[in-house]
Amino acid sequence: MSVTGAGADLIVINGRVQTMDDDNPAAEAIAIRDGAIIAIGSRAAIEALKGPATKVIDAKGGSVIPGFIEAHMHLFSGGAELAHLQLGGIHGFEALQKAIRDYASTRPEAKMLVGQGVDYTVLGDERVTRHHLDAILPDRPFCMAAPDHHTMWANTRALEMAGILQGRTLGPGNEIVMGDDGLAAGELREGEAFGPVLDLAGESRVRLGLSTGGEPDPMPSAAERAADRDIMRRGLAWCARHGITSIQNMDGNLYQLELLSEIEAEEGLPCRVKIPFHYKNFMTIDMLEKASVMAERYDNEWLSSGMVKVFYDGVLDSWTAVMVEPYADRPDWVGEPLFTPQQFIDLAVAIDKRGLQIAVHSIGDGAVRAVLDGYQAAQKANGKRDSRHRVEHIEVTTAADVPRFAELGVIASMQPPHPPGAMDFPLEPTVSRIGPARWPLSYAWRTLKSAGAHVVFASDWPVSPIDPILGIQAALLRKPWAEGDPDQSFSLQEALAAYTVEGAYAEFAEHRKGVLNPGYMADLVVLSADIEKTAPADLHKVRPVTTVCGGKVTYQV
């Protein structure tokens, strides 16, 4: 180690430094100056770089690892939802009733009451209707979202106020479920169906990057804009609290970039953020020019764009994911895609021609295949390049498509909290939708990695808890659903790499972050214990105690 010049701004000592660099895997301490790592080595060597103004962090024997790179999340809506009613883990009508009424009693002035994270099986085998919610809260509008955010349930008051009690014609893949009485039953599948209800909450700007990809109209007042910046700050602080230093957001518009740019100018960002352009199926190819403008205007190590996000299908639990063969519990249905295969091919070719990265929500094996076909067509039309296009989720795939990820250089972006039974999501109804014949290639992290794919991990917050350590634990402890099915679990090193090294690769930044090396960004997290010596069953007890991003402490216990 040879460092000249002024002393370090910050040093981290007495740690179990896990660099994620195979050539130099471990150390005791780190020195940081001007937002970058300047040295890694023994405690004595690093303390020699201490100056009179150097800040010292004592890791107390805990692990020091690269900052987590959250490769798939929704920052703006996640920040807003921190204030909503959290219904995860609630089961049975009485428990649901108590939670909703208690929440409503604390918010007498709220225009709309919103719950999050309710299981599809909250009432067992009985599907939730507006009548159940009317019995709980008849006089005030209320809606609640499934954990996957692709299905909501609303009471009659909310449906009336939103103007959809009589139903409405919607685009492909969206549905207002109708009852035998000719009125909406209360279940709303996908954004076009539940958007009018959520708009009653006055949070429409939060959802624009997901719902339309467009900009606020009218533009918000100064006070509204300040309130939106505070929502962003709340989300960013939640990320830093969990050791996250980089965010690859999976919805976006110019407004989100502007809000983050304003925060950056005011006090600096606690996390690095990439915001995509969201291309919707009602758009035309020429609208991709906006994606290019976003990429050119925002292109630094703190705030960037350069990606186009697309949804090809929905989710398994509401039968809106697109399958190659029919659903096991609905033998006449394979799901309805949001784009035809040819429409997606044309789109992928056009985006790729602009030199932009593509990330596509593809849950069913039919969607995964169509998206890979689009990427293959883009290579044929435009020539092969280091595009690193992505498939998001890949909850079911086929043996024929597994090797195509490595062949096409496509990233498999997957979420350890998502497999039913792995963390918070119950086994039913998902495993019955998929059917045992498809279980071996469901959430097939190990299979894809073994076939040479780059597998990157994330939470999809607020769909799942944001905590990367819980995701790592889920990856280690995952068990097959049936004896004889392949083991898809990861080792600790593989899971850590999927949240760091692979996250950096996914955003073309492996030369600057994802590992702890001199010259790299000073993005790291100090943990409360030695993660390598912690039993997998106890990993949830390991907590971030200090997060450093760009050499600045962004969270500390």
Side-chain angles (χ1 to χ4, degrees):
M1 181 191 73
S2 176
V3 178
T4 59
D9 298 330
L10 182 152
I11 62 174
V12 181
I13 59 171
N14 194 24
R16 300 280 297 179
V17 180
Q18 197 167 344
T19 67
M20 303 306 296
D21 176 7
D22 292 338
D23 295 330
N24 182 32
E28 294 177 336
I30 300 178
I32 293 166
R33 185 170 65 220
D34 296 331
I37 296 169
I38 59 170
I40 295 178
S42 68
R43 176 172 181 169
I46 297 303
E47 284 187 326
L49 300 173
K50 180 182 174 183
T54 300
K55 180 179 178 64
V56 179
I57 295 174
D58 183 351
K60 299 179 181 177
S63 291
V64 181
I65 60 176
F68 293 120
I69 297 174
E70 170 50 73
H72 185 124
M73 64 168 285
H74 302 277
L75 177 63
F76 204 6
S77 58
E81 287 183 20
L82 289 171
H84 292 173
L85 170 61
Q86 303 303 313
L87 290 168
I90 298 289
H91 292 100
F93 181 81
E94 290 184 4
L96 183 66
Q97 176 176 262
K98 182 179 189 309
I100 293 171
R101 288 182 175 176
D102 287 353
Y103 181 78
S105 69
T106 65
R107 286 162 174 77
E109 304 302 320
K111 295 185 247 181
M112 174 78 183
L113 296 161
V114 183
Q116 300 291 343
V118 66
D119 286 342
Y120 281 88
T121 53
V122 63
L123 300 182
D125 293 335
E126 189 176 3
R127 294 190 75 83
V128 176
T129 70
R130 62 186 172 93
H131 303 295
H132 293 109
L133 300 181
D134 291 347
I136 295 172
L137 203 67
D139 301 324
R140 299 178 65 186
F142 173 77
C143 66
M144 60 186 190
D148 56 33
H149 288 65
H150 287 257
T151 302
M152 296 196 79
W153 297 268
N155 67 0
T156 301
R157 184 73 180 124
L159 295 167
E160 287 174 338
M161 291 175 65
I164 59 172
L165 184 61
Q166 311 295 327
R168 180 179 294 180
T169 301
L170 303 174
N174 295 263
E175 182 182 3
I176 298 171
V177 177
M178 302 302 290
D180 294 337
D181 58 0
L183 300 176
E187 182 171 334
L188 308 168
R189 299 174 181 171
E190 302 297 333
E192 280 187 52
F194 54 68
V197 170
L198 273 182
D199 286 344
L200 300 173
E203 295 179 353
S204 58
R205 293 188 305 277
V206 165
R207 294 175 41 253
L208 282 176
L210 194 60
S211 61
T212 71
E215 308 303 322
D217 183 18
M219 289 302 289
S221 66
E224 289 170 331
R225 199 175 185 101
D228 288 347
R229 284 196 298 273
D230 284 343
I231 292 173
M232 280 288 198
R233 288 186 179 98
R234 192 160 67 222
L236 289 164
W238 191 243
C239 291
R241 181 186 184 92
H242 290 90
I244 293 166
T245 55
S246 288
I247 295 164
Q248 295 162 23
N249 211 52
M250 283 296 148
D251 66 272
N253 53 10
L254 269 171
Y255 184 60
Q256 288 189 27
L257 284 162
E258 290 168 359
L259 292 175
L260 290 163
S261 182
E262 289 161 13
I263 295 170
E264 182 183 18
E266 287 177 16
E267 71 258 21
L269 291 167
C271 305
R272 307 176 194 277
V273 189
K274 179 181 282 289
I275 299 287
F277 170 73
H278 186 182
Y279 188 94
K280 302 285 286 188
N281 61 357
F282 55 77
M283 294 180 176
T284 52
I285 295 291
D286 61 295
M287 296 178 76
L288 291 171
E289 181 59 25
K290 181 178 175 182
S292 293
V293 169
M294 290 167 65
E296 292 162 10
R297 191 176 299 175
Y298 298 93
D299 185 25
N300 64 57
E301 291 185 331
W302 285 99
L303 185 59
S304 62
S305 188
M307 182 192 294
V308 177
K309 171 69 185 298
V310 184
F311 279 79
Y312 193 89
D313 68 348
V315 293
L316 293 162
D317 288 2
S318 59
W319 299 283
T320 54
V322 173
M323 311 300 285
V324 172
E325 300 292 338
Y327 281 84
D329 63 347
R330 195 172 169 184
D332 60 344
W333 182 250
V334 295
E336 185 178 19
L338 297 173
F339 296 83
T340 67
Q342 187 59 51
Q343 283 175 332
F344 182 74
I345 285 172
D346 295 342
L347 176 61
V349 169
I351 299 171
D352 182 75
K353 189 174 183 179
R354 290 175 175 269
L356 300 170
Q357 189 180 27
I358 312 171
V360 186
H361 170 115
S362 315
I363 280 183
D365 53 4
V368 172
R369 178 169 295 175
V371 170
L372 291 172
D373 288 347
Y375 292 161
Q376 185 172 334
Q379 284 191 5
K380 184 176 180 180
N382 302 326
K384 192 166 185 176
R385 65 182 180 89
D386 185 17
S387 56
R388 305 189 194 182
H389 297 320
R390 306 164 49 137
V391 184
E392 307 297 316
H393 307 308
I394 320 167
E395 295 190 358
V396 186
T397 189
T398 63
D401 289 322
V402 165
R404 299 178 71 196
F405 284 82
E407 291 165 4
L408 296 169
V410 172
I411 292 168
S413 171
M414 308 182 83
Q415 295 71 42
H418 282 189
M423 210 162 94
D424 294 334
F425 292 166
L427 290 171
E428 296 295 351
T430 316
V431 296
S432 291
R433 300 272 192 278
I434 297 170
R438 285 183 286 227
W439 288 354
L441 288 175
S442 297
Y443 309 88
W445 318 324
R446 166 66 56 200
T447 301
L448 285 162
K449 183 175 177 61
S450 297
H454 282 273
V455 177
V456 60
F457 278 168
S459 69
D460 196 12
W461 184 69
V463 170
S464 303
I466 200 171
D467 192 340
I469 296 174
L470 293 183
I472 289 168
Q473 183 179 45
L476 269 63
L477 295 178
R478 180 167 170 206
K479 298 290 186 285
W481 294 328
E483 188 176 346
D485 283 351
D487 179 2
Q488 301 290 356
S489 66
F490 269 32
S491 69
L492 175 62
Q493 282 300 112
E494 289 170 335
L496 282 170
Y499 277 102
T500 55
V501 176
E502 295 291 355
Y505 177 85
E507 56 176 293
F508 302 89
E510 68 270 24
H511 62 295
R512 291 286 286 139
K513 60 183 174 182
V515 299
L516 300 176
N517 262 338
Y520 279 56
M521 298 176 185
D523 298 355
L524 59 87
V525 56
V526 180
L527 302 178
S528 61
D530 183 344
I531 196 169
E532 291 183 283
K533 292 183 178 178
T534 303
D538 292 329
L539 278 174
H540 62 281
K541 300 175 184 176
V542 178
R543 297 289 82 212
V545 292
T546 303
T547 305
V548 175
C549 188
K552 306 292 184 185
V553 175
T554 55
Y555 170 75
Q556 196 160 40
V557 174

